PDB file of all heavy atoms in Angstrom:
ATOM      1  N   ILE I 264      38.112  14.205 -31.007  1.00 98.00           N
ATOM      2  CA  ILE I 264      37.142  13.905 -32.071  1.00 98.00           C
ATOM      3  C   ILE I 264      35.805  13.427 -31.532  1.00 98.00           C
ATOM      4  O   ILE I 264      35.801  12.648 -30.544  1.00 98.00           O
ATOM      5  CB  ILE I 264      37.726  12.844 -33.029  1.00 98.00           C
ATOM      6  CG1 ILE I 264      39.050  13.275 -33.590  1.00 98.00           C
ATOM      7  CG2 ILE I 264      36.694  12.517 -34.099  1.00 98.00           C
ATOM      8  CD1 ILE I 264      38.895  14.425 -34.573  1.00 98.00           C
ATOM      9  N   LYS I 265      34.726  13.862 -32.091  1.00 97.00           N
ATOM     10  CA  LYS I 265      33.430  13.330 -31.730  1.00 97.00           C
ATOM     11  C   LYS I 265      32.551  13.394 -32.984  1.00 97.00           C
ATOM     12  O   LYS I 265      32.407  14.441 -33.581  1.00 97.00           O
ATOM     13  CB  LYS I 265      32.763  14.103 -30.598  1.00 97.00           C
ATOM     14  CG  LYS I 265      31.430  13.561 -30.163  1.00 97.00           C
ATOM     15  CD  LYS I 265      30.897  14.170 -28.848  1.00 97.00           C
ATOM     16  CE  LYS I 265      30.489  15.594 -28.974  1.00 97.00           C
ATOM     17  NZ  LYS I 265      29.830  16.075 -27.747  1.00 97.00           N
ATOM     18  N   LEU I 266      31.958  12.275 -33.369  1.00 98.00           N
ATOM     19  CA  LEU I 266      31.014  12.263 -34.485  1.00 98.00           C
ATOM     20  C   LEU I 266      29.734  13.052 -34.199  1.00 98.00           C
ATOM     21  O   LEU I 266      29.267  13.029 -33.029  1.00 98.00           O
ATOM     22  CB  LEU I 266      30.637  10.823 -34.895  1.00 98.00           C
ATOM     23  CG  LEU I 266      31.631  10.014 -35.621  1.00 98.00           C
ATOM     24  CD1 LEU I 266      30.997   8.621 -35.979  1.00 98.00           C
ATOM     25  CD2 LEU I 266      32.183  10.699 -36.889  1.00 98.00           C
ATOM     26  N   LYS I 267      29.210  13.681 -35.183  1.00 97.00           N
ATOM     27  CA  LYS I 267      27.963  14.458 -34.994  1.00 97.00           C
ATOM     28  C   LYS I 267      26.761  13.515 -35.008  1.00 97.00           C
ATOM     29  O   LYS I 267      26.781  12.418 -35.633  1.00 97.00           O
ATOM     30  CB  LYS I 267      27.821  15.540 -36.133  1.00 97.00           C
ATOM     31  CG  LYS I 267      28.800  16.658 -36.043  1.00 97.00           C
ATOM     32  CD  LYS I 267      28.483  17.613 -34.891  1.00 97.00           C
ATOM     33  CE  LYS I 267      29.299  18.822 -34.856  1.00 97.00           C
ATOM     34  NZ  LYS I 267      28.941  19.811 -35.931  1.00 97.00           N
ATOM     35  N   GLU I 268      25.714  13.960 -34.377  1.00 97.00           N
ATOM     36  CA  GLU I 268      24.413  13.291 -34.520  1.00 97.00           C
ATOM     37  C   GLU I 268      23.744  13.816 -35.835  1.00 97.00           C
ATOM     38  O   GLU I 268      24.342  14.632 -36.519  1.00 97.00           O
ATOM     39  CB  GLU I 268      23.536  13.581 -33.321  1.00 97.00           C
ATOM     40  CG  GLU I 268      24.076  13.121 -31.968  1.00 97.00           C
ATOM     41  CD  GLU I 268      24.166  11.563 -31.931  1.00 97.00           C
ATOM     42  OE1 GLU I 268      23.305  10.928 -32.535  1.00 97.00           O
ATOM     43  OE2 GLU I 268      25.098  11.088 -31.182  1.00 97.00           O
ATOM     44  N   ALA I 269      22.561  13.231 -36.131  1.00 97.00           N
ATOM     45  CA  ALA I 269      21.867  13.669 -37.328  1.00 97.00           C
ATOM     46  C   ALA I 269      21.692  15.214 -37.314  1.00 97.00           C
ATOM     47  O   ALA I 269      21.343  15.787 -36.302  1.00 97.00           O
ATOM     48  CB  ALA I 269      20.539  13.005 -37.468  1.00 97.00           C
ATOM     49  N   ASN I 270      21.994  15.849 -38.454  1.00 97.00           N
ATOM     50  CA  ASN I 270      21.843  17.272 -38.541  1.00 97.00           C
ATOM     51  C   ASN I 270      21.697  17.763 -39.981  1.00 97.00           C
ATOM     52  O   ASN I 270      22.184  17.087 -40.887  1.00 97.00           O
ATOM     53  CB  ASN I 270      23.087  17.974 -37.870  1.00 97.00           C
ATOM     54  CG  ASN I 270      24.387  17.787 -38.623  1.00 97.00           C
ATOM     55  OD1 ASN I 270      24.654  18.568 -39.580  1.00 97.00           O
ATOM     56  ND2 ASN I 270      25.125  16.706 -38.266  1.00 97.00           N
ATOM     57  N   ASN I 271      21.059  18.873 -40.162  1.00 96.00           N
ATOM     58  CA  ASN I 271      20.912  19.539 -41.471  1.00 96.00           C
ATOM     59  C   ASN I 271      20.481  18.579 -42.605  1.00 96.00           C
ATOM     60  O   ASN I 271      20.887  18.701 -43.747  1.00 96.00           O
ATOM     61  CB  ASN I 271      22.275  20.210 -41.876  1.00 96.00           C
ATOM     62  CG  ASN I 271      22.607  21.383 -41.041  1.00 96.00           C
ATOM     63  OD1 ASN I 271      23.049  21.272 -39.915  1.00 96.00           O
ATOM     64  ND2 ASN I 271      22.328  22.577 -41.581  1.00 96.00           N
ATOM     65  N   GLY I 272      19.615  17.653 -42.241  1.00 97.00           N
ATOM     66  CA  GLY I 272      19.072  16.721 -43.221  1.00 97.00           C
ATOM     67  C   GLY I 272      19.925  15.536 -43.492  1.00 97.00           C
ATOM     68  O   GLY I 272      19.594  14.610 -44.208  1.00 97.00           O
ATOM     69  N   PHE I 273      21.077  15.415 -42.782  1.00 98.00           N
ATOM     70  CA  PHE I 273      21.928  14.220 -42.889  1.00 98.00           C
ATOM     71  C   PHE I 273      21.613  13.253 -41.778  1.00 98.00           C
ATOM     72  O   PHE I 273      21.618  13.653 -40.586  1.00 98.00           O
ATOM     73  CB  PHE I 273      23.425  14.593 -42.789  1.00 98.00           C
ATOM     74  CG  PHE I 273      23.802  15.499 -43.987  1.00 98.00           C
ATOM     75  CD1 PHE I 273      24.027  16.876 -43.782  1.00 98.00           C
ATOM     76  CD2 PHE I 273      23.952  14.993 -45.278  1.00 98.00           C
ATOM     77  CE1 PHE I 273      24.370  17.678 -44.850  1.00 98.00           C
ATOM     78  CE2 PHE I 273      24.352  15.812 -46.306  1.00 98.00           C
ATOM     79  CZ  PHE I 273      24.558  17.175 -46.134  1.00 98.00           C
ATOM     80  N   THR I 274      21.377  11.980 -42.111  1.00 98.00           N
ATOM     81  CA  THR I 274      21.119  11.000 -41.120  1.00 98.00           C
ATOM     82  C   THR I 274      22.380  10.543 -40.415  1.00 98.00           C
ATOM     83  O   THR I 274      23.525  10.793 -40.843  1.00 98.00           O
ATOM     84  CB  THR I 274      20.387   9.754 -41.677  1.00 98.00           C
ATOM     85  OG1 THR I 274      21.379   9.107 -42.559  1.00 98.00           O
ATOM     86  CG2 THR I 274      19.199  10.133 -42.523  1.00 98.00           C
ATOM     87  N   LYS I 275      22.215   9.839 -39.296  1.00 97.00           N
ATOM     88  CA  LYS I 275      23.361   9.309 -38.557  1.00 97.00           C
ATOM     89  C   LYS I 275      24.149   8.373 -39.477  1.00 97.00           C
ATOM     90  O   LYS I 275      25.420   8.327 -39.410  1.00 97.00           O
ATOM     91  CB  LYS I 275      22.893   8.587 -37.257  1.00 97.00           C
ATOM     92  CG  LYS I 275      23.979   8.021 -36.421  1.00 97.00           C
ATOM     93  CD  LYS I 275      24.859   9.110 -35.818  1.00 97.00           C
ATOM     94  CE  LYS I 275      25.863   8.460 -34.839  1.00 97.00           C
ATOM     95  NZ  LYS I 275      26.860   9.540 -34.377  1.00 97.00           N
ATOM     96  N   ASP I 276      23.445   7.502 -40.218  1.00 97.00           N
ATOM     97  CA  ASP I 276      24.165   6.596 -41.099  1.00 97.00           C
ATOM     98  C   ASP I 276      24.974   7.325 -42.204  1.00 97.00           C
ATOM     99  O   ASP I 276      26.112   6.945 -42.515  1.00 97.00           O
ATOM    100  CB  ASP I 276      23.177   5.642 -41.798  1.00 97.00           C
ATOM    101  CG  ASP I 276      22.627   4.596 -40.825  1.00 97.00           C
ATOM    102  OD1 ASP I 276      23.228   4.421 -39.715  1.00 97.00           O
ATOM    103  OD2 ASP I 276      21.614   3.960 -41.150  1.00 97.00           O
ATOM    104  N   GLU I 277      24.372   8.413 -42.717  1.00 98.00           N
ATOM    105  CA  GLU I 277      25.094   9.225 -43.741  1.00 98.00           C
ATOM    106  C   GLU I 277      26.315   9.876 -43.141  1.00 98.00           C
ATOM    107  O   GLU I 277      27.362   9.992 -43.860  1.00 98.00           O
ATOM    108  CB  GLU I 277      24.152  10.240 -44.392  1.00 98.00           C
ATOM    109  CG  GLU I 277      23.115   9.588 -45.281  1.00 98.00           C
ATOM    110  CD  GLU I 277      22.090  10.691 -45.716  1.00 98.00           C
ATOM    111  OE1 GLU I 277      21.812  11.641 -45.032  1.00 98.00           O
ATOM    112  OE2 GLU I 277      21.526  10.457 -46.892  1.00 98.00           O
ATOM    113  N   ILE I 278      26.202  10.362 -41.925  1.00 98.00           N
ATOM    114  CA  ILE I 278      27.354  11.004 -41.250  1.00 98.00           C
ATOM    115  C   ILE I 278      28.486  10.006 -41.053  1.00 98.00           C
ATOM    116  O   ILE I 278      29.642  10.299 -41.237  1.00 98.00           O
ATOM    117  CB  ILE I 278      26.897  11.610 -39.937  1.00 98.00           C
ATOM    118  CG1 ILE I 278      26.011  12.905 -40.250  1.00 98.00           C
ATOM    119  CG2 ILE I 278      28.058  11.956 -39.045  1.00 98.00           C
ATOM    120  CD1 ILE I 278      25.226  13.366 -39.042  1.00 98.00           C
ATOM    121  N   GLU I 279      28.145   8.816 -40.652  1.00 98.00           N
ATOM    122  CA  GLU I 279      29.133   7.753 -40.460  1.00 98.00           C
ATOM    123  C   GLU I 279      29.840   7.350 -41.802  1.00 98.00           C
ATOM    124  O   GLU I 279      31.065   7.165 -41.855  1.00 98.00           O
ATOM    125  CB  GLU I 279      28.581   6.511 -39.808  1.00 98.00           C
ATOM    126  CG  GLU I 279      28.299   6.778 -38.341  1.00 98.00           C
ATOM    127  CD  GLU I 279      28.395   5.514 -37.424  1.00 98.00           C
ATOM    128  OE1 GLU I 279      29.069   4.526 -37.914  1.00 98.00           O
ATOM    129  OE2 GLU I 279      27.861   5.514 -36.367  1.00 98.00           O
ATOM    130  N   LEU I 280      29.037   7.346 -42.882  1.00 98.00           N
ATOM    131  CA  LEU I 280      29.603   7.063 -44.196  1.00 98.00           C
ATOM    132  C   LEU I 280      30.559   8.179 -44.569  1.00 98.00           C
ATOM    133  O   LEU I 280      31.706   7.938 -45.099  1.00 98.00           O
ATOM    134  CB  LEU I 280      28.489   6.946 -45.239  1.00 98.00           C
ATOM    135  CG  LEU I 280      27.936   5.570 -45.517  1.00 98.00           C
ATOM    136  CD1 LEU I 280      26.959   5.660 -46.714  1.00 98.00           C
ATOM    137  CD2 LEU I 280      28.967   4.502 -45.863  1.00 98.00           C
ATOM    138  N   ALA I 281      30.140   9.430 -44.383  1.00 98.00           N
ATOM    139  CA  ALA I 281      30.968  10.548 -44.720  1.00 98.00           C
ATOM    140  C   ALA I 281      32.277  10.616 -43.867  1.00 98.00           C
ATOM    141  O   ALA I 281      33.307  10.866 -44.391  1.00 98.00           O
ATOM    142  CB  ALA I 281      30.184  11.871 -44.489  1.00 98.00           C
ATOM    143  N   ALA I 282      32.137  10.173 -42.591  1.00 98.00           N
ATOM    144  CA  ALA I 282      33.315  10.121 -41.744  1.00 98.00           C
ATOM    145  C   ALA I 282      34.326   9.099 -42.294  1.00 98.00           C
ATOM    146  O   ALA I 282      35.510   9.355 -42.350  1.00 98.00           O
ATOM    147  CB  ALA I 282      32.921   9.773 -40.334  1.00 98.00           C
ATOM    148  N   ALA I 283      33.809   7.898 -42.658  1.00 98.00           N
ATOM    149  CA  ALA I 283      34.633   6.861 -43.119  1.00 98.00           C
ATOM    150  C   ALA I 283      35.314   7.145 -44.430  1.00 98.00           C
ATOM    151  O   ALA I 283      36.542   6.828 -44.700  1.00 98.00           O
ATOM    152  CB  ALA I 283      33.861   5.565 -43.230  1.00 98.00           C
ATOM    153  N   PHE I 284      34.611   7.784 -45.390  1.00 98.00           N
ATOM    154  CA  PHE I 284      35.103   7.910 -46.721  1.00 98.00           C
ATOM    155  C   PHE I 284      35.562   9.344 -47.088  1.00 98.00           C
ATOM    156  O   PHE I 284      36.215   9.571 -48.082  1.00 98.00           O
ATOM    157  CB  PHE I 284      34.081   7.475 -47.720  1.00 98.00           C
ATOM    158  CG  PHE I 284      33.838   5.955 -47.644  1.00 98.00           C
ATOM    159  CD1 PHE I 284      32.761   5.457 -46.818  1.00 98.00           C
ATOM    160  CD2 PHE I 284      34.616   5.076 -48.281  1.00 98.00           C
ATOM    161  CE1 PHE I 284      32.610   4.090 -46.698  1.00 98.00           C
ATOM    162  CE2 PHE I 284      34.450   3.694 -48.195  1.00 98.00           C
ATOM    163  CZ  PHE I 284      33.447   3.215 -47.368  1.00 98.00           C
ATOM    164  N   LEU I 285      35.271  10.359 -46.265  1.00 98.00           N
ATOM    165  CA  LEU I 285      35.744  11.728 -46.513  1.00 98.00           C
ATOM    166  C   LEU I 285      36.690  12.203 -45.431  1.00 98.00           C
ATOM    167  O   LEU I 285      37.521  13.100 -45.686  1.00 98.00           O
ATOM    168  CB  LEU I 285      34.531  12.636 -46.563  1.00 98.00           C
ATOM    169  CG  LEU I 285      33.564  12.414 -47.757  1.00 98.00           C
ATOM    170  CD1 LEU I 285      32.323  13.356 -47.694  1.00 98.00           C
ATOM    171  CD2 LEU I 285      34.289  12.587 -49.087  1.00 98.00           C
ATOM    172  N   GLU I 286      36.525  11.710 -44.243  1.00 98.00           N
ATOM    173  CA  GLU I 286      37.510  12.023 -43.125  1.00 98.00           C
ATOM    174  C   GLU I 286      38.141  10.738 -42.652  1.00 98.00           C
ATOM    175  O   GLU I 286      38.210  10.381 -41.508  1.00 98.00           O
ATOM    176  CB  GLU I 286      36.716  12.716 -41.954  1.00 98.00           C
ATOM    177  CG  GLU I 286      36.302  14.110 -42.254  1.00 98.00           C
ATOM    178  CD  GLU I 286      37.491  15.106 -42.417  1.00 98.00           C
ATOM    179  OE1 GLU I 286      38.585  14.755 -41.938  1.00 98.00           O
ATOM    180  OE2 GLU I 286      37.293  16.188 -42.935  1.00 98.00           O
ATOM    181  N   THR I 287      38.696  10.022 -43.638  1.00 98.00           N
ATOM    182  CA  THR I 287      39.154   8.669 -43.371  1.00 98.00           C
ATOM    183  C   THR I 287      40.284   8.592 -42.365  1.00 98.00           C
ATOM    184  O   THR I 287      40.269   7.702 -41.463  1.00 98.00           O
ATOM    185  CB  THR I 287      39.631   8.026 -44.714  1.00 98.00           C
ATOM    186  OG1 THR I 287      38.658   8.182 -45.735  1.00 98.00           O
ATOM    187  CG2 THR I 287      40.010   6.579 -44.523  1.00 98.00           C
TER     188      THR I 287
END
């Protein structure tokens, strides 16, 4: 597993939120 950097208009903070709550 590796978290993505900011991409496609999603910030790093939004990606971490999505990881925590959507890929829990």
Side-chain angles (χ1 to χ4, degrees):
I264 302 293
K265 181 168 72 172
L266 285 185
K267 290 289 187 72
E268 298 296 328
N270 68 87
N271 289 79
F273 297 104
T274 67
K275 181 65 174 173
D276 287 346
E277 288 174 330
I278 288 166
E279 289 212 17
L280 269 187
F284 293 95
L285 296 175
E286 287 294 342
T287 308

